[in-house]
Amino acid sequence: MVAVASVVVAAGTVTGTVSALGDERPAPGARAPVARWSAPSPSGAPASAGGSVTPSPARPASPEPAVDPSPSTGGSRTAAGPALLYRHPDSQVRAWVDSHPGDPRRAVIASRIAGRPAAVWFADFTPSTITARVEAVTSVAAERGAVPVLVPYAVPRRDCGGASEGGAPDLAAYDGWIDGFAAGLGSREVVVVLEPDAIAQSDCLTAPERAGRLASLARAGRVLKAADPRARVYYDAGNSDWNPAAAQAALLRRAGAASAASSDGVFTNVSNFNRTDDETAYARRVLAALGGPPDLGAVIDTSRNGNGAAPGGAWCDPPGRRIGPAPTLSTGEAGIDAYLWVKPPGESDGCRGEPGTFSAAYAYELAG
């Protein structure tokens, strides 16, 4: 089998990007969105933090936020108006755009990638600073009335010792790190994509190790939602080419994903390339098998899935891929809460540059 994972370079601070975009609308014929975010308040000052990230799985197969114009309707957490995604301006792609004013690729990369949302990853295990680093993002997002997307990525034995190895030394240390992460959330809406690969890839663990990890993830969801009741926490469902939906749902239940006290649903396709329609169908199968509250939903990583998966399941910066649907909190699809760019487009899996580093050539190809 092909080993997977989100390849990450921990930069000692925050990794990735986040933003808002104002031109994404549901596809023709889409149903009214079931939204779970409330109306924004006026925007405030820009954020600052830095770092780099790189995810990329492979299993078989300008800092001002803008309004997502799709109105929010329905759902148990019905929104009062359009919600914003927050763009954190200190990202690798933004730095490249700012430092290459004469590059002929700049306009395309700036408008199609740097100007769109991607998640902020916290991939290094630094307990002493994690609260401040999370708060550096969430506090400014709150001032702007915008919704940041955060990725905690420090579970022990991350990536089963593969290209993204690292994380906390043990589960007790991880639990403490999550406590610190939660303390930085504040009291506004945030989206938390909790530990990509941690559940779908847990087959490398012994049965007791897997049980411990799943229990720790269930605790993490409870801690995050207790710290910020408006946080929306999503659990790892892998992707449509990985585990069968029923098998994945069984693991997700053990990790707390079916409990309203710890979960708002699942995420799929992080760092992968599967088409949105395939992931939508898969996410719905997982949710149906999972059970739990009827308003559990799914978010799908659409950052690089515009052309679907590469032939033969190639995963390391494969050619011919494109960015997918723009990030939005209003998808128009029942049960699908958001399309997000969890993997920042242009950050290498390790074949177009060092893992986690930005490749302008690859970004330009994806944006084309």
Side-chain angles (χ1 to χ4, degrees):
M1 297 199 306
V2 180
V4 222
S6 299
V7 180
V8 171
V9 172
T13 54
V14 172
T15 61
T17 64
V18 190
S19 90
L21 186 66
D23 61 354
E24 56 276 35
R25 290 175 171 79
R31 286 159 288 189
V34 177
R36 306 164 191 270
W37 287 270
S38 58
S41 61
S43 61
S48 63
S52 65
V53 71
T54 311
S56 175
R59 269 265 169 180
S62 224
E64 293 304 319
V67 173
D68 176 337
S70 304
S72 299
T73 60
S76 64
R77 299 174 180 83
T78 304
L84 302 176
L85 280 170
Y86 167 66
R87 181 177 63 201
H88 185 62
D90 191 0
S91 64
Q92 291 192 81
V93 64
R94 186 76 256 169
W96 183 89
V97 167
D98 290 346
S99 62
H100 291 78
D103 194 296
R105 302 166 295 184
R106 182 182 185 275
V108 169
I109 292 173
S111 64
R112 299 184 187 176
I113 295 180
R116 296 188 174 184
V120 179
W121 289 64
F122 298 81
D124 57 324
F125 180 72
T126 51
S128 64
T129 62
I130 187 61
T131 300
R133 291 185 292 117
V134 173
E135 188 176 14
V137 176
T138 60
S139 61
V140 177
E143 290 173 5
R144 293 187 177 180
V147 180
V149 180
L150 313 177
V151 184
Y153 192 61
V155 73
R157 291 194 63 187
R158 184 175 71 199
D159 193 23
C160 296
S164 293
E165 67 179 333
D170 53 47
L171 289 174
Y174 179 72
D175 291 348
W177 185 84
I178 283 290
D179 291 346
F181 189 103
L185 291 178
S187 59
R188 296 292 300 269
E189 288 93 346
V190 300
V191 176
V192 180
V193 175
L194 181 63
E195 297 292 344
D197 298 344
I199 298 173
Q201 199 187 18
S202 62
D203 54 0
C204 71
L205 305 175
T206 66
E209 287 171 341
R210 176 185 276 189
R213 175 183 286 189
L214 297 180
S216 190
L217 291 173
R219 177 192 182 276
R222 294 192 301 269
V223 167
L224 294 166
K225 291 183 71 65
D228 179 4
R230 299 172 75 183
R232 301 198 55 79
V233 179
Y234 294 89
Y235 280 77
D236 171 35
N239 63 66
S240 59
D241 286 334
W242 202 335
N243 297 326
Q248 189 65 24
L251 293 172
L252 284 159
R253 278 193 297 275
R254 293 172 60 190
S259 169
S262 52
S263 171
D264 293 277
V266 303
F267 61 83
T268 79
N269 210 41
V270 166
S271 301
N272 220 308
F273 304 89
N274 296 320
R275 291 188 183 277
T276 305
D277 287 350
D278 293 335
E279 292 303 302
T280 296
Y282 170 71
R284 288 173 176 158
R285 292 196 301 272
V286 171
L287 290 170
L290 179 62
D295 63 341
L296 292 182
V299 299
I300 298 171
D301 186 352
T302 60
S303 59
R304 304 189 297 181
N305 73 344
N307 276 355
W315 65 270
C316 187
D317 302 331
R321 303 312 94 203
R322 297 290 183 271
I323 55 176
T328 181
L329 299 177
S330 298
T331 70
E333 290 286 343
I336 309 301
D337 293 346
Y339 301 143
L340 301 174
W341 284 8
V342 183
K343 159 73 175 182
E347 294 189 11
S348 177
D349 301 324
C351 294
R352 305 289 185 110
E354 291 296 317
T357 58
F358 179 75
S359 166
Y362 192 38
Y364 187 70
E365 183 178 324
L366 290 167

